[in-house]
Amino acid sequence: MTDARLRRGRGSLAVSFFVQGVTFALLVTRIPGIQDRYGISDALLPAFLAAVPILAGVASVATEKIVARVGPAVVLRWAQPVVLLALLAVGAGTEMWEAALALGAFGLAVGALDASMNMLGVSLQRAYGRSIMLGFHASYSLGGIAGASLAWVGAHWHLSLFVSYLPVVALLLPVAFVGSRWYGAGEHRPVEKDAGESGGSRVAFALLLPLCLVMTFAYIGDSTVSNWSAKYLQDVLGSSEELATVPYNAYMVTTLLGRAVGDFGVRKLGAATVVRCGAVLAALGFAVVAAAPGAWAGIAGFTVLGLGLSVIVPQTFAAAGRLAFESHGPGASDAAVARLNVFNYVGFLVGSPLVGALGDAWSYRWAMLVPMVLVMVTVVYATSFGAREARYGGGHERPRTVDVG
């Protein structure tokens, strides 16, 4: 049986991913309510929304330095409560400067949280000696579905943001604190400062560029779905307003399903094969969306998209951590994950305005082919995810009994 300490670490980290999925969904799905509460104009709203991923990227870079001294478990233990409290602050304020401060704190804390959370996922996967990273991201997707559902309840019953957020934060905050005591299981500490910093620098330039591009392209695809699926279905495919809400829900469900079973695929086929298949499926989904004659065909395309994109991001983090660890040790692994995480936000920032600008100037159907091509490029870089026989425990799958000393 797998060591109980690792099982507790895995379970607590899965809870952390779930909590973050709920939290982020509660923020992004209530953006119209936030805009109304603070009187943010349509012209100013993009600046507020862009500030969150920009600050998150800055915090992700800073996290690389912090974890070299204290480890990712400590960062995650304190970043997650800050994210939850920042969400509550977004719902509590009334002045625009209060919204700016709360969203700024949210962005900074999210950058540290995303980086440290994925660092711990990579280190636990290495300790297990088999693919478990997709399972963590499945937990995040499940949290996103739960958070979006709670947001719908709040909007449906016309609850204020504070009233909607308060019980969720009150429940999740102690859960995050209690679970944080096991975050460090699987960590490799202490880390040599010189190895962590210089190794991370070499890895970033020598190995990470293909993975950074893959991460960017995957999030361009994801942000296209989250920002444009409803508008595309309603304005281009002529659906009703109610039906226009379906594609994103379908996308989230198939993302969850893909991540729930993806680890088994990686263990059987290897990460590179799974990523190639995911990229082809995602490209096919975008092609179906672009060519769809009606609303239901469009929904089918977005559904396939979720299944394809679901496996790419978790495996990109896993590949970066594995390559860096094999080249320069655990300090470099953490640094690689922190730097790769920045391109999560780059893709999110680029995707929505890219498709919107092309759609307005050209055609929304043709605009859907741009993320299709970018996602398909992932196939070219699939060799960066390792050979079929590549594993996570030093070149082979470890036996189920793990000695962590």
Side-chain angles (χ1 to χ4, degrees):
M1 180 178 292
T2 305
D3 185 89
R5 180 166 164 263
L6 286 182
R7 288 203 309 272
R8 287 194 296 269
R10 183 179 181 180
S12 64
L13 188 59
V15 170
S16 180
F17 271 87
F18 176 84
V19 170
Q20 177 57 5
V22 174
T23 307
F24 193 75
L26 281 170
L27 179 76
V28 298
T29 55
R30 294 303 305 273
I31 285 172
I34 295 170
Q35 185 179 9
D36 291 342
R37 181 177 183 86
Y38 291 97
I40 302 171
S41 67
D42 289 340
L44 191 57
L45 182 62
F48 273 83
L49 298 182
V52 174
I54 290 172
L55 290 172
V58 171
S60 184
V61 172
T63 300
E64 173 191 341
K65 307 298 183 183
I66 297 171
V67 298
R69 293 168 173 81
V70 302
V74 174
V75 175
L76 179 58
R77 181 173 296 123
W78 295 107
Q80 189 140 55
V82 174
V83 171
L84 286 164
L85 293 173
L87 176 71
L88 190 61
V90 170
T94 56
E95 302 293 332
M96 196 172 297
W97 65 268
E98 293 175 308
L101 283 178
L103 289 171
F106 188 93
L108 289 170
V110 159
L113 183 148
D114 284 346
S116 58
M117 197 162 56
N118 282 289
M119 288 174 190
L120 285 172
V122 168
S123 68
L124 274 168
Q125 176 163 281
R126 187 164 55 245
Y128 263 82
R130 63 180 186 270
S131 179
I132 61 173
M133 195 68 178
L134 279 153
F136 293 131
H137 285 259
S139 184
Y140 178 91
S141 296
L142 182 62
I145 293 171
S149 301
L150 290 170
W152 180 88
V153 170
H156 180 74
W157 292 103
H158 304 290
L159 302 177
S160 71
L161 291 173
F162 184 76
V163 172
S164 296
Y165 292 161
L166 180 60
V168 179
V169 172
L171 175 64
L172 296 183
L173 195 59
V175 170
F177 266 126
V178 171
S180 69
R181 62 182 296 187
W182 294 294
Y183 285 160
E187 268 194 290
H188 294 265
R189 292 291 178 263
V191 174
E192 293 290 337
K193 179 180 178 183
D194 291 341
E197 293 184 358
S198 63
S201 178
R202 288 195 298 271
V203 168
F205 289 101
L207 296 177
L208 286 189
L209 181 58
L211 296 174
C212 292
L213 292 174
V214 169
M215 181 70 79
T216 302
F217 297 159
Y219 268 96
I220 286 175
D222 180 81
S223 66
T224 298
V225 179
S226 59
N227 288 286
W228 294 106
S229 59
K231 180 177 175 61
Y232 185 87
L233 218 72
Q234 191 169 356
D235 294 354
V236 177
L237 302 182
S239 78
S240 65
E241 184 177 355
E242 290 78 11
L243 190 60
T245 65
V246 172
Y248 185 69
N249 288 332
Y251 170 81
M252 289 295 294
V253 169
T254 51
T255 297
L256 173 61
L257 291 175
R259 289 173 173 176
V261 302
D263 283 320
F264 299 103
V266 173
R267 295 169 199 167
K268 294 291 184 182
L269 304 173
T273 299
V274 169
V275 169
R276 284 192 186 100
C277 292
V280 170
L281 272 178
L284 176 63
F286 273 119
V288 171
V289 169
W296 286 106
I299 291 171
F302 285 116
T303 302
V304 173
L305 250 174
L307 198 60
L309 286 179
S310 65
V311 299
I312 297 177
V313 169
Q315 284 307 306
T316 306
F317 278 120
R322 180 177 59 81
L323 288 171
F325 179 80
E326 290 173 354
S327 301
H328 304 294
S333 176
D334 289 345
V337 171
R339 296 184 182 193
L340 182 66
N341 187 56
V342 174
F343 291 85
N344 159 355
Y345 310 120
V346 171
F348 188 84
L349 277 172
V350 170
S352 179
L354 174 66
V355 171
L358 289 172
D360 290 338
W362 190 14
S363 162
Y364 278 98
R365 285 189 183 273
W366 288 109
M368 289 294 168
L369 298 180
V370 174
M372 180 196 79
V373 172
L374 293 177
V375 169
M376 196 63 187
V377 171
T378 298
V379 175
V380 177
Y381 296 122
T383 53
S384 297
F385 291 83
R388 164 67 181 87
E389 63 273 12
R391 292 297 181 260
Y392 304 95
H396 61 279
E397 290 279 7
R398 293 184 180 184
R400 296 187 68 188
T401 299
V402 180
D403 181 12
V404 294

